[in-house]
Amino acid sequence: MDLSKVQSALTSSVDFPEGTWSTPSDTLVPNRKRIHRTEDHSRKPLMTENQIVGCILGTAVGDAIGLPYEGLSRPRAARMLGAPDRHRFCLGRGMVSDDTEHTCMVAQALIIANGDLPRFQKALASSLCWWLLCVPAGVGLATLRAVVRLWLGYSPDRSGVYSAGNGPAMRAAILGVAIKDDSQLRPFVRASSRLTHTDPKAEFGALAVALAARLAAIHQEIEPDEYLERLTELIGGEDPELISLLARAVDSVNSGHSTLAFAESLGLAKGVSGYVYHTVPVAIHAWLSHQDNCRAAIMAVVQCGGDADSTGAIVGGIVGAGVGRRGLPQDWLDGLIEWPRTVAWMEKLGKHVANVQPGRRKKIDITLESPGPAPGQKPITLDDFRKHLQSIIKPSFFWRMFMLLPGTPRQVRAIWKKHTSSEEFADVIRRQTRMIDAMTPEERQHPQHINAERLQQIAMDAGVKLREVRELLTQFAAMRSMIYSMDQPSEREDKPRLPVLGIMARNLFFLLVVLFHGFRRLAPPYTTR
């Protein structure tokens, strides 16, 4: 084979035949000349604003391109949608799913924490709780169970469930780019992962993605063998299974095989599943094969089928960290119809992350003395919190709509039934309700006025421990502060704000489009478009 002709084909524009998935490098990726850079590991890498913004927006475009193909086999996706070379979700435009939303929440938590690991975990847990209440149209089963546990009063250290899903991996790329200290990378990845997934495989997969994004941002182009060596040093002999899978990916890249061929060699001919040890090796292969071409990398991994939005988001985040904002396909960015998480909003978020300086943070108060509501906004009291506890037992209209989502109703209903019918759940609700009822109307309106003596009396009247009363007030303060921060026009520039009602309206529209795609998939097979 004449490699010069293949190289020319890779750099030229190629028209994809309708109904096919072929990419210019579908069968062979010729070995490119790579630049090996030595790194002084004693210094902290300085990530630029361009790289951080590129990581967030790369995640968004990869997510949006892959979303219409999620759950489809490669032949059927080719018949229904064609090649993943443009947005196909809604009238030629694209929208993002939970992959991008989680990445943005991690970025916001990093801004709030500013190097403080416990604060990062609490901020991310709080964001996940309110994200779920905004009725997202897509949510993983393990993440759903973990967030429900958070609402039931479990601490972030104990909320995770034993699962090896790819949830932690899909939000890990931003950690690799934003964490300035190498020694802090693994602790932050662990905190993010175990918040929802406690299986060590989920953590190791997320760590592999975070390291890939970090090396892409530092080197822009790296030898596959060097990436494998760095990852082996990072996790040691704790997980030989992942190292073995990634070694196969590296050998495949060095041999010039396509990402599709590699996925088929792993037995994933019908699509890449949400199992982290399926998702991560395929995503790493696509990145190593197209380190300087975001469009080709995302197309290569999306064409493998399966959990296409997550694999596309992971690859987009890694490659975006390497090529930066200016290296992303502008037509894909222009095709996003997201609101309120617009492209401009995500760029602003990336700039704030880039400006974080650990140790120089203004404290953001989430105590009972936190700032009050914005002008015209109704104050939030413990009476409102009590109504929320009751609403958990009786799902709202939006929750019923969420349960109708194609492909997930049985899972959602099973989880909801399990928790709402359990004695543990009922006891938590009863105890928290008794504590609120033991307070006076004035105390429910202004809980900051409750002194130590009254705390003891409330605990005795409710038949609970003093610690539980303090935990209830802390949970309420965090909830109130989060709601105020979302809607309050503030002089603080700690993180970009999002309107709660705007998110819910957007998610309802997103749900309707997802339902439309679900009905399309129930129709007879489509002819080639």
Side-chain angles (χ1 to χ4, degrees), residues 404-423:
L404 294 176
L405 182 65
T408 60
R410 291 183 181 178
Q411 297 172 345
V412 175
R413 289 171 182 166
I415 294 299
W416 195 263
K417 183 178 179 180
K418 175 183 176 181
H419 286 285
T420 55
S421 62
S422 68
E423 183 60 29

Side-chain angles (χ1 to χ4, degrees), residues 510-523:
F510 183 91
L511 176 61
L512 294 176
V513 179
V514 170
L515 290 172
F516 170 74
H517 280 276
F519 290 133
R520 285 187 64 193
R521 297 182 185 192
L522 295 176

Side-chain angles (χ1 to χ4, degrees), residues 85-404:
D85 55 352
R86 60 183 183 272
H87 292 296
R88 300 179 183 273
F89 185 68
C90 180
L91 302 177
R93 296 298 187 96
M95 297 183 72
V96 302
S97 66
D98 56 332
D99 306 271
T100 305
E101 292 170 345
H102 281 219
T103 296
C104 291
M105 286 188 285
V106 169
Q108 291 175 298
L110 287 170
I111 296 171
I112 294 175
N114 207 8
D116 187 337
L117 184 59
R119 190 177 183 85
F120 164 77
Q121 192 175 37
K122 291 179 181 178
L124 182 57
S126 179
S127 295
L128 284 171
C129 287
W130 291 104
W131 166 77
L132 187 63
L133 285 190
C134 288
V135 201
V139 55
L141 179 59
T143 301
L144 173 64
R145 294 173 59 190
V147 177
V148 169
R149 286 165 65 90
L150 284 170
W151 272 115
L152 292 177
Y154 285 83
S155 69
D157 294 329
R158 301 188 301 117
S159 61
V161 298
Y162 194 80
S163 170
N166 58 15
M170 73 186 188
R171 58 177 181 257
I174 185 63
L175 290 171
V177 182
I179 301 297
K180 296 179 171 61
D181 191 342
D182 287 334
S183 64
Q184 292 296 309
L185 179 60
R186 184 165 183 178
F188 272 82
V189 171
R190 178 184 296 114
S192 171
S193 302
R194 296 189 179 179
L195 184 63
T196 53
H197 297 66
T198 59
D199 191 326
K201 292 182 179 181
E203 178 186 335
F204 292 133
L207 192 60
V209 172
L211 179 64
R214 191 175 193 80
L215 295 179
I218 296 172
H219 299 285
Q220 188 169 352
E221 193 170 356
I222 186 174
E223 291 286 352
D225 291 321
E226 183 182 352
Y227 165 73
L228 183 62
E229 180 182 351
R230 290 289 303 276
L231 182 63
T232 304
E233 292 175 357
L234 187 60
I235 67 176
E238 296 180 56
D239 193 357
E241 182 181 356
L242 178 61
I243 297 299
S244 175
L245 288 170
L246 291 178
R248 291 178 60 182
V250 167
D251 291 340
S252 177
V253 172
N254 290 335
S255 299
H257 299 152
S258 69
T259 302
L260 178 60
F262 173 69
E264 292 175 346
S265 71
L266 295 181
L268 305 176
K270 294 184 179 181
V272 182
S273 73
Y275 176 49
V276 68
Y277 281 7
H278 289 167
T279 300
V280 171
V282 174
I284 295 299
H285 188 286
W287 161 58
L288 291 174
S289 300
H290 309 277
Q291 296 186 49
D292 56 355
N293 191 332
C294 187
R295 187 188 299 271
I298 292 175
M299 290 179 62
V301 76
V302 170
Q303 73 171 351
C304 295
D307 195 3
D309 61 330
S310 294
T311 55
I314 292 172
V315 173
I318 297 173
V319 180
V323 301
R325 166 65 174 83
R326 293 179 290 273
L328 300 177
Q330 188 60 44
D331 57 323
W332 285 2
L333 289 172
D334 294 339
L336 290 174
I337 54 171
E338 274 301 320
W339 188 88
R341 293 184 184 90
T342 62
V343 171
W345 184 90
M346 286 186 276
E347 285 189 83
K348 181 181 179 182
L349 178 65
K351 294 176 182 178
H352 280 269
V353 175
N355 292 331
V356 169
Q357 297 183 4
R360 300 183 182 180
R361 170 180 53 85
K362 291 191 303 182
K363 183 178 180 181
I364 303 175
D365 191 6
I366 60 169
T367 66
L368 295 172
E369 299 291 346
S370 58
Q377 184 182 17
K378 180 183 177 182
I380 299 173
T381 68
L382 279 164
D383 290 321
D384 300 317
F385 190 68
R386 189 183 189 281
K387 292 179 182 178
H388 161 69
L389 294 176
Q390 299 301 321
S391 68
I392 295 178
I393 301 176
K394 185 178 180 181
S396 65
F397 168 77
F398 291 106
W399 270 111
R400 296 191 190 99
M401 291 292 295
F402 175 71
M403 291 178 186
L404 294 176

